[in-house]
Amino acid sequence: MNEHSLVTLGQHLQALRKAQGLSLSQLANAAGIAKSNLCRLEQGNGNPTLDTIWRLAVQLNVPFGTLVAPISVPLGEDGVQVQLIDQGKDAPQVDAYWMRCAPHTLRHAEAHTPGTQERLTLISGYLEAGPEGATLSLAPGDSVTFPADQPHLYRTQAAEATLLLTITYGLEGTRS
């Protein structure tokens, strides 16, 4: 992530935290990250992982897309890039993302808020995705919907995979 995006994310994160009356310590403890790391992130320093951003969004009780909405560049790590395309305004909350996974990528994703589902439509390449222990193989044009409130994964083989990812949050797990 570039410097401008880190500063933007940090400012937005701090505003969301303060709007909920949470201290740095409270949010850091709830998200399972060091207070010093959260402080650096809010100051626009550091390089947060996708899992860290997810944990912060969950603890702030906002969709991932709400936390990253001000950022106009893809977020990425370890061969995975994700960029918010659009975010719904209705209930349930629905976020749409573009996602690219590099060749030979294995991405384990933590469980999202209760009731959350993901729908993937593969654009190019080949991808194995779904809840751990119950993944499906996708070819271009294939779609799959699965519960994302449990650990899940994305795995590519020799070619990169590009997909559209739609996340529908459980009604009890989000607010706008």
Side-chain angles (χ1 to χ4, degrees):
M1 193 178 331
N2 64 35
E3 184 178 336
H4 175 72
S5 295
L6 282 170
V7 169
T8 301
L9 176 64
Q11 291 171 344
H12 190 57
L13 173 61
Q14 183 178 58
L16 290 169
R17 177 182 61 77
K18 287 182 173 182
Q20 293 188 25
L22 296 172
S23 70
L24 275 169
S25 295
Q26 288 171 316
L27 181 56
N29 287 338
I33 63 174
K35 178 182 171 183
S36 59
N37 289 343
L38 178 57
C39 184
R40 279 195 302 275
L41 181 56
E42 285 190 358
Q43 293 171 352
N45 299 317
N47 192 16
T49 65
L50 293 173
D51 285 335
T52 296
I53 296 170
W54 265 106
R55 284 194 305 265
L56 290 167
V58 167
Q59 294 308 313
L60 289 167
N61 198 29
V62 298
F64 181 83
T66 297
L67 188 51
V68 302
I71 302 170
S72 60
V73 298
L75 301 169
E77 66 176 313
D78 300 330
V80 176
Q81 289 185 311
V82 179
Q83 185 169 12
L84 180 68
I85 298 170
D86 199 5
Q87 189 172 39
K89 306 295 183 222
D90 301 314
Q93 177 76 40
V94 178
D95 292 348
Y97 298 88
W98 165 88
M99 184 173 174
R100 174 174 287 146
C101 298
H104 305 290
T105 294
L106 173 58
R107 164 97 175 114
H108 290 275
E110 295 178 7
H112 305 326
T113 52
T116 299
Q117 290 197 359
E118 290 190 11
R119 179 172 180 83
L120 313 176
T121 301
L122 192 64
I123 299 169
S124 65
Y126 294 91
L127 182 73
E128 179 185 345
E132 292 187 10
T135 59
L136 295 172
S137 295
L138 303 171
D142 290 346
S143 294
V144 63
T145 301
F146 58 86
D149 55 1
Q150 55 190 286
H152 49 286
L153 64 84
Y154 311 90
R155 179 179 306 156
T156 60
Q157 299 301 321
E160 78 175 11
T162 317
L163 56 138
L164 296 175
L165 167 64
T166 305
I167 301 176
T168 304
Y169 295 90
L171 288 173
E172 72 282 358
T174 63
R175 67 171 186 253
S176 298

